[in-house]
């Protein structure tokens, strides 16, 4: 998103909410208020006038001194006030660029609408803004500032569904006019669907907000920073954090009535990746990168087991790769179980469930149904994962055509007889095994008997499944380590 806005014609709506009417929702220790203040100061330092910045905060009592020291006008972060700022203050302004920064709680509905909760929200009155409708409103002829950069540090999980309630959620919806022909939007989100935005309680900041600030700092004063470069830097930062959270973005641009949309947001990519069972994924960063490079260069890659005994983490490695790089596969990630239903049925069911208007024509033979799938699959590169293959010949008839946009990842204990590139997986390093055991049992517990803990890692040959079994035994009441 390359823009050349005048700072005087740039506006900001900055929101940081860590204290809610429902006190149980408060962000322990804080963070969102300070993150919002720092973003507002960043705008002002780059020449945006104070009167163009609307700063809405709800800080914990222990963080009120931040507000007193900020030098900016601070307003209530209620639903009514924020919606008034959007519709009555910002809407008629003539400007080049609007920044929206939001740090606080967020949910997602069963209709996949992202909701941002306001400070006056509680269990009886879920005061929130419908982010999807806000973005459409900003890009309509009812809003005069034509370019928008939205940065949202909020969760996108499904608490209503988890509580067994309806996915419908009342909230502030913005009603748009006709789409503008000259609007650009870049939206950077802290989380994919179903994920929680993590807070660094020690430093009182969201990990995502901190990563964005670091990326802005490397822009060498460029205003506005190149958002695609910022996003790449933020994603690289999160790759090293292991927070089960992947920032995502999408960018839409319209020009002369033709709309181009580049959706890099994995929350919109169909997949059925299994839920990770690992409390922490350690010691395999190098293998993740090796796998990425192998799949770039080859149509089919197999993760194999050097030990031949299982439990080294083949499936978990495939899950972690699929989650981290789902954005590289806009055509979807289809997870296949050779020990389950017929593989052809699994492939067809995935396509029918996930792709609009996909249906198999009546009368096709079984072989033709598979060919129809390959030819009519959703556009974009695709990842197929065949997990726990015991018989290579069982899956061979279900592989896509060579040289197509389909990438195939196989996990198997087999080490011989495969003609495709292999990523052999064995035991963890000694340090990696100890790190996993520490995660499973707790730092204090392991440090009290460090040498014995190291011996346990050696005893199970540094194999992850063995460490999980030890941890299960050590959690029994009365045990120290074993």
């Amino acid at each position: 998103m390359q823009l050349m806005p005048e700072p005087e014609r740039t506006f900001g709506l900055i929101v940081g909410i860590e204290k809610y009417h429902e006190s149980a929702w408060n962000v322990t220790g804080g963070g969102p208020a300070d993150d919002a203040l720092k973003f507002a100061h960043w705008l002002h330092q780059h020449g945006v006038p104070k009167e163009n910045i609307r700063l809405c905060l709800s800080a914990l009592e222990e963080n009120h001194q931040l507000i007193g020291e900020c030098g900016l006008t601070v307003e209530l972060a209620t639903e009514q006030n924020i919606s008034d700022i959007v519709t009555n203050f910002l809407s008629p302004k003539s400007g080049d660029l609007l920044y929206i920064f939001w740090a606080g709680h967020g949910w997602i509905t069963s209709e996949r609408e992202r909701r941002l909760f306001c400070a006056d929200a509680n269990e009886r009155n879920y005061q929130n803004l419908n982010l999807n409708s806000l973005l459409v409103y900003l890009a309509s002829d009812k809003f005069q500032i034509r370019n928008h950069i939205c940065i949202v540090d909020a969760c996108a999980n499904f608490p209503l569904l988890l509580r067994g309630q309806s996915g419908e959620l009342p909230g502030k919806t913005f009603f748009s006019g006709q789409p503008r022909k000259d609007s650009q939007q870049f939206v950077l989100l802290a989380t994919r669907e179903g994920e929680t935005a993590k807070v660094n309680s020690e430093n009182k900041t969201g990990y995502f907000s901190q990563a964005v600030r670091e990326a802005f700092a490397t822009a060498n004063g460029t205003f506005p920073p190149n958002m695609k470069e910022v996003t790449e830097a933020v994603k690289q930062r999160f790759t090293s954090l292991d927070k089960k959270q992947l920032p995502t973005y999408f960018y839409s641009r319209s020009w002369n009535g033709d709309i181009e949309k580049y959706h890099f947001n994995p929350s919109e990519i169909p997949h059925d990746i299994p839920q990770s069972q690992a409390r922490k994924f350690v010691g395999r960063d190098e293998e993740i990168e090796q796998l990425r490079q192998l799949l770039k260069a080859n149509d089919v890659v197999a993760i194999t087991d050097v030990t031949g005994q299982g439990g080294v983490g083949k499936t978990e490695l495939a899950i972690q790769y699929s989650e981290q790089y789902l954005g590289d596969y806009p055509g979807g990630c289809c997870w296949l179980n050779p020990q389950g239903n017929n593989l052809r049925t699994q492939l067809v069911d995935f396509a029918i469930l996930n792709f609009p208007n996909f249906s198999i024509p009546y009368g096709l033979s079984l072989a033709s149904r598979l060919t129809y799938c390959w030819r009519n699959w959703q556009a974009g590169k695709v990842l197929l994962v065949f997990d726990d293959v015991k018989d290579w010949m069982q899956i061979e008839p279900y592989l896509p055509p060579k040289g197509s946009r389909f990438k195939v990842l196989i996990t198997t204990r087999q080490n011989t007889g495969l003609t495709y590139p292999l990523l052999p997986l064995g035991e963890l390093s000694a340090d990696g095994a100890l790190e996993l055991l520490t995660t499973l049992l707790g730092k204090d517990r392991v440090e009290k008997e460090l040498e014995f803990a190291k011996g346990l890692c050696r005893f199970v040959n540094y194999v992850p499944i063995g460490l999980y079994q030890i941890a299960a035994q050590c959690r029994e009441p009365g045990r120290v380590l074993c």
Side-chain angles (χ1 to χ4, degrees), residues 198-357:
K198 309 299 192 303
V199 175
N200 184 337
S201 56
E202 181 178 352
N203 296 327
K204 293 188 175 183
T205 182
Y207 283 100
F208 170 78
S209 293
Q210 182 177 7
V212 170
R213 290 196 300 271
E214 292 171 355
F216 279 5
T218 64
N220 298 320
T222 302
F223 184 82
N226 184 301
M227 286 306 297
K228 288 188 178 180
E229 293 178 0
V230 167
T231 299
E232 186 60 33
V234 171
K235 284 191 172 188
Q236 290 179 3
R237 174 68 173 151
F238 267 81
T239 298
S240 66
L241 287 176
D242 189 29
K243 294 297 174 186
K244 304 294 184 187
Q245 171 187 347
L246 181 64
T248 62
Y249 75 99
F250 61 90
Y251 165 51
S252 60
R253 175 171 64 91
S254 57
W255 184 256
N256 292 336
D258 294 325
I259 299 176
E260 298 178 34
K261 288 191 176 180
Y262 304 88
H263 291 283
F264 297 89
N265 184 355
S267 69
E268 298 183 355
I269 296 175
H271 70 84
D272 55 356
I273 302 170
Q275 181 70 35
S276 170
Q277 299 302 309
R279 290 181 60 185
K280 185 173 182 182
F281 187 67
V282 302
R284 299 298 194 193
D285 291 342
E286 183 177 340
E287 285 82 355
I288 287 279
E289 181 57 27
Q290 289 176 355
L291 184 56
R292 185 187 184 196
Q293 296 303 325
L294 283 170
L295 281 166
K296 279 185 176 181
N298 301 277
D299 291 339
V300 183
V301 174
I303 304 173
T304 62
D305 181 355
V306 171
T307 71
Q309 300 176 358
V312 296
K314 302 181 300 298
T315 295
E316 189 59 39
L317 183 67
I319 290 173
Q320 295 292 331
Y321 169 81
S322 302
E323 288 183 342
Q324 288 186 32
Y325 294 105
L326 182 58
D328 292 344
Y329 299 96
C333 174
C334 178
W335 201 276
L336 299 157
N337 176 16
Q339 277 67 57
N341 294 331
N342 179 279
L343 288 170
R344 183 185 294 104
T345 300
Q346 293 181 48
L347 284 161
V348 171
D349 285 351
F350 181 90
I352 291 174
L353 288 172
N354 290 284
F355 306 147
N357 304 318

